[in-house]
Amino acid sequence: MAHLLMVESWVGSMSRLLPRAIQEAGHTFTFLTRDLHHYLRTAPEGAAHPLLGARDVVTADTNDPESLVPYVERLHEVLGFDGVLTSCDYYLPTAALLAERLGLPAPDPEAVRNACRKDATRRVLEKAGVPGPRFAVHEDRAELGAAARDIGFPLVVKPVDLCAGMFVRRVDDDGQLAAAVRALGDFPVNARGQRRASAVLLEELLDGPEVSVETVSHAGAVRVVGVTDKSIGGAPAFIETGHMFPAALSGAETEDVVRTAVDALTALGLTDGVVAHTEIKLTSAGPRVVEVNPRPAGNRITELVRRVTGVDLVAAFVDVSLGRAPDLRRTDTGLRSAAVGFLVPEATGTLAALDGSGLRTAPDVLEAELAEPGRQVRAAGSNNEYLGHVMVGDTEGAGARVRVEGLLASLRSGLVIR
């Protein structure tokens, strides 16, 4: 039995999946957070949050690595950790740093920092010759305008240090660019109280569908578990509306995106102690890297993979965080594809009606979680405003995506927001 230190967590499904994986493996964990109430207020009424299954809950300023390192070193002397991990992007560099300082298994902290900063990722991949969009990074608005004209509209505006598609926007002219940059400037501190970088990333708008490559890195080798497809909506934002695993690609397309993802991870130095989710566009000019996430995929992708292959990427994350070889053996689950679709609100107001009663009796529905009427909602601008999701499986082939899109269409017909 091992004892892990979990430094913060996402509040979505990974806050349930990761504690479960730790406990099912027979391990324990200490949960380290600066604000326990951030998690308690997201727990279902009358239920204890899974993170409270920790052996110990410790409060410290996780936003200040300089003071956190010596504090955790003292904790380690008392509690004895065997690994350090987090599911939250904002604390991935901190977790890697702590593991390194404690002499525990860890990916290279600089590699993790570079992957978590979109501008650093672009520079590293460009230097290594890994294909991506043309880009520019500036703080000054005049320089951003000149760079935008050099790259050419339409283009994509991105913060360098936010997640879940927050403030990522397509812009078609100077006016839209100025508005997008102002919106970023009005959000100087992220949801975890960390001051944001003022730099803005501009990227060439890439054509083609988007996929992600799910990988596990251990002992210097990157192993590919599979490729997931993505549905994107919400223009001018880029909101993930659904996923299917495995992606319905040709053999040549799969080979190309897999090679590109492995090249990106290798260039960044993410070849040990990492479960990664690398997003790639299949453009008319070939695969182009969108971003590299050095943690397990969110939005239920890990569950799609598990449902189809039997491979538990969250359990693999626990294993590699302990320096252990992950179990990536596939089993025949009976499913040939699985897909998840997200209900994205298009209006702001109060959820008055949403009837999903028929979903749970459908034989191919694997999961169905929907918001209750009375909830305050707002028109979605990122992946943070979903009203729920539906997951289905297909035992015959790649039909799961079409099926889940049909179910979502039915849900939308009964959705009322006032």
Side-chain angles (χ1 to χ4, degrees), residues 190-212:
N190 69 24
R192 298 307 180 98
Q194 298 169 334
R195 182 156 291 279
R196 292 191 47 255
S198 57
V200 177
L201 175 62
L202 302 182
E203 292 182 356
E204 168 192 10
L205 179 67
L206 299 173
D207 64 354
E210 186 172 328
V211 299
S212 63

Side-chain angles (χ1 to χ4, degrees), residues 33 70 103 107 124 138 147 150 192 194 222 246 252 260 406 417:
T33 179
V124 171
H138 295 290
D150 181 57
R192 298 307 180 98
Q194 298 169 334
V222 179
T260 302
I417 298 174

